[in-house]
Amino acid sequence: MKEIVPTPPAIVRNDYESIRELFTQNVVPSYGRFELVLSHGAGSYVFDVAGQRYLDLGGGIAVNCLGNAHPGITEALVEQSQKLIHTSNLYFTAPQGRLAAELVKRIGAGKVFFCNSGAEANEGLYKLARKFGHDEGRFEILTAINSFHGRTLAGIAATGQDKVKKGFEPMTPGFRHIPYNDLDAARAAISPATVAILIEGIQGEGGVTPATAEYLLGLRALCDEKKMLLLIDGVQCGHYRSGKFQSFQRILENIPGGEKFLPDGISMAKSLGGGFPMGAFWVRAPYADLLSAGTHGTTYGGTPLACAVALKILDVIEKENLPENARQLGAWMKSELERLATTYPSVVKNARGVGFMLGFELAENIPAFAASEKPAAIQFVNRLHAAGVLTVPAGTHIIRLLPALNLKPAEVGEGIAKIEAVVKSLA
Ligand SMILES: *Cc1c(COP(=O)(O)O)cnc(C)c1O
């Protein structure tokens, strides 16, 4: 008689299927997700429910600045949660005051408002600009083509990409888009109603494009001349990703007049909380009291727990000299990406970015991608997943690398080798 051997339950596979099913049944399908179910991580490695290990060069989209499961963050969370998690902004707390002082110290004379996300930080800047121009009837904010400023109603109006607006018209009034890095276009676009210009220091979702030094300095002069606010969205490019606290500090280093440059407002989020959700904006001293008592607020803004985590992150970044790590390893990684562009021009068109905000553009019409409808960037990221590396696509042809600031040299080597293997297989 034939012995019946029961097949062992495919536990791992079942987890994947059952979790996928929970999403299909219960989660609003507003995200295009990759077919990976992640379960845990350590440093710049994450694991999926099947036990596969991935080198994380995406950092949860520039958020996990200390990597995964950092003991300092765990410690800050535990310690602060034993004292106070939340108080509301009816009261003062030490962590919020101390964090504001640390941010001001890194930017310049001004004040900070705390909130919970990047979109919300930008909302604060829109309100600041409207308050500033209100009595003269000025309200319009110029933003850049290809920019990204978040998914709230004002956020999609501010964002210079049609794909985020489609289906949600009419748009919130008061936003117009201008070409990025084009000073003449900015000047020409100003109307009697214009009150501010908002740009990313380095465009992220738009494909890793840094502002030029001349553009930043020119916009500053233009805004001074026209009595407008210059606002910088530092949500993705800020928090030492460029090698300096804010990307404009990096772009303008060693540029005559650069050391005096300050915008009037800066939004922050992503790496600010290292994965604990939080956002903030800084406003330059002359305008720091425009948003007076009762004009703006949010229940969770600047909770002791969020601020304790953010303070710990700044402490670790400084003690471990991580800005220098981002600068040096970023330069190495970029030179390796440039080498790939030179060696495999039929696959990689160029390398872009600075520090740990890097990207590379894929060539048009890669033959291996012709069979699928999916954008080249998505197909490339899928192949990198199979090779054990996480990255972030931007647009249809750009791959972004936004790793933890404490990425190690050996991890850069591993990442480049795996990216090169995928590139080679497509050449
Ligand atoms: C991610 C991002 C935002 C939006 O931040 P959320 O936390 O997703 O609301 C805004 N601006 C830029 C430049 C971003 O990269």
Side-chain angles (χ1 to χ4, degrees), residues 108-186:
K111 291 181 181 173
V112 178
F113 177 91
F114 291 101
C115 55
N116 310 286
S117 70
E120 201 188 346
N122 286 330
E123 289 280 337
L125 293 183
Y126 314 145
K127 283 182 71 176
L128 179 79
R130 284 203 173 188
K131 194 92 191 326
F132 172 73
H134 186 263
D135 293 350
E136 303 156 339
R138 295 193 296 159
F139 59 90
E140 187 183 63
I141 300 171
L142 302 179
T143 68
I145 293 169
N146 260 330
S147 60
F148 182 80
H149 298 298
R151 296 287 197 152
T152 56
L153 272 181
I156 61 174
T159 293
Q161 302 187 47
D162 287 340
K163 67 180 185 198
V164 307
K165 305 176 193 273
K166 212 169 153 249
F168 299 105
E169 300 87 352
M171 283 297 111
T172 303
F175 295 93
R176 259 190 311 127
H177 309 311
I178 53 176
Y180 192 60
N181 276 334
D182 184 339
L183 202 53
D184 293 337

Side-chain angles (χ1 to χ4, degrees), residues 34 146 161 163 204-208 347-350 352 359-366 369-370 372-382 391-400 426:
F34 291 103
N146 260 330
Q161 302 187 47
K163 67 180 185 198
E205 305 301 306
V208 194
V347 183
V348 179
K349 209 156 133 185
N350 57 47
R352 33 219 298 153
F360 54 97
E361 188 174 357
L362 298 172
E364 301 289 331
N365 305 321
I366 295 172
F369 291 162
S372 167
E373 298 273 86
K374 287 188 178 148
I378 303 290
Q379 296 195 55
F380 195 93
V381 168
N382 274 321
T391 56
V392 184
T396 55
H397 282 78
I398 289 166
I399 311 296
R400 271 180 294 171
L426 295 166

